[in-house]
Amino acid sequence: MLPALLTDTVSTDLDRALHYALLWGHEGLVLRTMGRHGERIPYVNEAKLRRRLDEHEMPLVAVVPGLFEGAASDRAQGFTDLGELTEVAAFCQRFGCGIALVGALADDPDADPAAGADLLRRAGDIAQRHQLCLAVCNAAGTACASGHSLAKLLDAVGHPHVRAAWNPVAALRGGSSLAADALAADALAADVGALAGHVAFVTVRDGRGEAEAWSESAPGEGAVGWSTHLAALRAGGFDGPLCLEVHGEPTGPFGLQATTSLVQLVRAQRRSERNA
């Protein structure tokens, strides 16, 4: 498991984001937008990005290009996203990046249940040609808010290059009970069990509260129960990027605290595995 930073949750300025990633102890970057005007991956200054990554020996572990977030019934948008994915996959190949995060498509009661799976299967074929993994994100307001629904979609897709980008906080805020940490932990444990063998990427946040009144905390101090959660993910075969999103304020102190907690959790998990 590799601690990584989603850079634009700190800054869209690459140099500033890299400074914090290195200072805090991250081992990889995840890019969504960068530059003065917040250009979206892959339409960014590649020359500068390559120089900075090489200078700091920092790998680009995943990108978030904003694809497959529309309704499955919108065929025109689906074909547009497939075309964009070819550009994203070529970008990733140039940078040695192995994962691209994509949406699970919008929650669309009018869509044919098989349409979304078919679209993502076609996307998987494109990814396979470029040795890229597509990691589908669970999120509130999409076809997959929970781990169970995401696992069901991935089973329907049935493609080795289409896997899961698991976000436990998104699952909690998308409908799981937050009345007590024990209930939250039980719900997430069931989700992780359903996703066993599917997870390629994990988004790291933590906190407590109702869906509309969420309070951020450092990993391990909120409702997720990250120590137990990491152990369950590892038992299910996960060994990929743990991507920190910095949503607490002020950004600098909160990012340092959150990263420190994350690194400690990873080290504790590694010790536990060595001693097993």
Side-chain angles (χ1 to χ4, degrees), residues 75-142:
R75 292 175 58 83
Q77 184 60 54
F79 282 112
T80 297
D81 284 348
L82 289 172
E84 291 273 339
L85 178 59
T86 301
E87 297 293 327
V88 172
F91 173 92
C92 289
Q93 204 162 36
R94 290 193 293 274
F95 281 88
C97 173
I99 301 174
L101 273 63
V102 297
L105 302 167
D107 190 7
D108 181 5
D110 297 325
D112 177 356
D118 181 64
L119 180 60
L120 289 173
R121 195 177 303 114
R122 295 186 186 194
D125 289 340
I126 294 172
Q128 186 170 17
R129 290 197 290 271
H130 293 82
Q131 288 75 55
L132 181 67
C133 170
L134 297 187
V136 182
C137 305
N138 65 292
T142 73

Side-chain angles (χ1 to χ4, degrees), residues 176-228:
S176 298
S177 173
L178 298 181
D181 285 1
L183 293 178
D186 287 346
L188 294 179
D191 275 338
V192 169
L195 286 168
H198 285 304
V199 181
F201 182 98
V202 174
T203 293
V204 178
R205 293 176 64 182
D206 209 346
R208 288 189 174 89
E210 299 300 326
E212 300 302 323
W214 181 261
S215 177
E216 291 288 327
S217 68
E221 298 179 6
V224 173
W226 272 106
S227 180
T228 301

Side-chain angles (χ1 to χ4, degrees), residues 19-20 54 102-103 116 196 218 232 244 269:
H19 167 75
Y20 280 114
D54 289 347
V102 297
L244 180 70
Q269 177 61 33

Side-chain angles (χ1 to χ4, degrees), residues 147-188:
H148 277 84
S149 57
L150 181 55
K152 185 177 179 180
L153 173 63
L154 295 175
D155 285 339
V157 173
H159 199 294
H161 284 255
V162 182
R163 300 181 66 195
W166 169 235
N167 186 332
V169 165
L172 290 178
R173 299 185 71 182
S176 298
S177 173
L178 298 181
D181 285 1
L183 293 178
D186 287 346
L188 294 179

Side-chain angles (χ1 to χ4, degrees), residues 223-245:
V224 173
W226 272 106
S227 180
T228 301
H229 204 68
L230 285 183
L233 285 164
R234 286 290 293 130
F238 171 71
D239 192 26
L242 292 165
C243 177
L244 180 70
E245 293 188 5

